[in-house]
């Protein structure tokens, strides 16, 4: 089926698919950004009255307001073990402020948004480069096959005359 498409139609099709991909990325980015408003929300976890908590875990027993974004732990924090949060989870931390005790502590979090974005765009750029190289190889191979075909046709015509 693809053999019957002209170069112009193929180019138009590729441009349309590329535009749809970019539109999808923009829409997805807007929707996921709007659905992650948990950073400004209040958290409350109920525990029994005899539950004892260290100051580092005050966000488990009282309201806590997120005061910073999720960010990666430093190498020093991971190696030294100063911050227990950095050793427990995916090595990401989130600053929260316990409202009643007025203490700012760190809590573990899943992923750093800007780091994930950077990884995604690095992957996209890498795939684009591979696509461009593959397209170049296809164009080069097509030119070689066309030249070979022209030589064969010329040889057949020169042999017949």
């Amino acid at each position: 089926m693809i053999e019957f498409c002209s170069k112009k139609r193929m180019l138009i099709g590729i441009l349309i698919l590329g535009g749809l991909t970019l539109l999808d990325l923009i829409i997805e980015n807007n929707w996921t950004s709007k659905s992650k408003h948990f950073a400004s929300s209040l958290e409350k976890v109920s525990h029994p009255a005899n539950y004892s908590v260290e100051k580092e875990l005050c966000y488990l027993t009282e309201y806590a307001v997120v005061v910073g974004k999720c960010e990666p732990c430093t190498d020093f924090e991971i190696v030294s073990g100063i911050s227990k949060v950095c050793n427990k989870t995916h090595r990401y931390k989130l600053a929260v402020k316990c409202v009643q005790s007025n203490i700012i502590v760190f809590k573990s979090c899943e992923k750093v948004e800007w780091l994930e974005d950077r990884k995604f765009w690095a992957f996209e750029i890498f795939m684009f480069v591979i696509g461009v190289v593959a397209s170049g190889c296809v164009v080069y191979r097509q030119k070689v096959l066309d030249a070979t075909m022209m030589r064969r046709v010329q040889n057949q015509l020169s042999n017949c005359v």
Side-chain angles (χ1 to χ4, degrees):
M1 187 75 173
I2 199 167
E3 294 86 17
F4 300 114
C5 295
S6 66
K7 289 183 181 181
K8 185 177 180 180
R9 287 184 182 169
M10 293 285 272
L11 183 61
I12 291 171
I14 290 171
L15 290 175
I16 289 173
L17 287 175
L20 288 174
T21 302
L22 287 176
L23 180 66
D24 179 47
L25 288 173
I26 291 169
I27 291 172
E28 184 177 335
N29 189 26
N30 288 337
W31 282 351
T32 55
S33 296
K34 291 178 183 176
S35 67
K36 293 184 179 179
H37 286 298
F38 67 88
S40 61
S41 65
L42 297 175
E43 298 177 357
K44 173 87 174 165
V45 178
S46 61
H47 293 285
N50 61 358
Y51 185 77
S52 63
V53 175
E54 299 176 24
K55 287 184 178 180
E56 293 179 7
L57 300 176
C58 67
Y59 58 85
L60 293 175
T61 57
E62 59 184 90
Y63 285 110
V65 178
V66 177
V67 293
K69 290 185 177 181
C70 188
E71 57 188 35
C73 298
T74 63
D75 290 335
F76 177 73
E77 289 173 328
I78 294 169
V79 173
S80 66
I82 290 174
S83 177
K84 293 178 185 176
V85 173
C86 293
N87 294 333
K88 286 183 183 178
T89 62
H90 305 92
R91 300 177 185 224
Y92 301 120
K93 62 184 179 181
L94 176 69
V96 295
K97 181 178 181 180
C98 298
V99 175
Q100 293 172 349
S101 58
N102 202 22
I103 299 172
I104 295 177
V105 294
F106 287 102
K107 173 182 173 180
S108 64
C109 57
E110 289 294 319
K111 295 178 183 175
V112 180
E113 190 173 328
W114 65 267
L115 197 57
E116 293 298 317
D117 285 346
R118 187 173 74 180
K119 288 179 184 178
F120 170 76
W121 285 112
F123 173 76
E124 286 293 319
I125 290 170
F126 180 70
M127 289 295 118
F128 178 75
V129 168
I130 287 179
V132 168
V133 169
S135 297
C137 290
V138 168
V139 168
Y140 174 74
R141 180 69 178 150
Q142 186 65 42
K143 285 183 179 184
V144 168
L145 290 174
D146 288 344
T148 305
M149 183 62 71
M150 288 302 288
R151 269 188 264 129
R152 285 184 184 169
V153 169
Q154 287 175 352
N155 285 341
Q156 285 177 355
L157 288 174
S158 65
N159 288 338
C160 290
V161 175

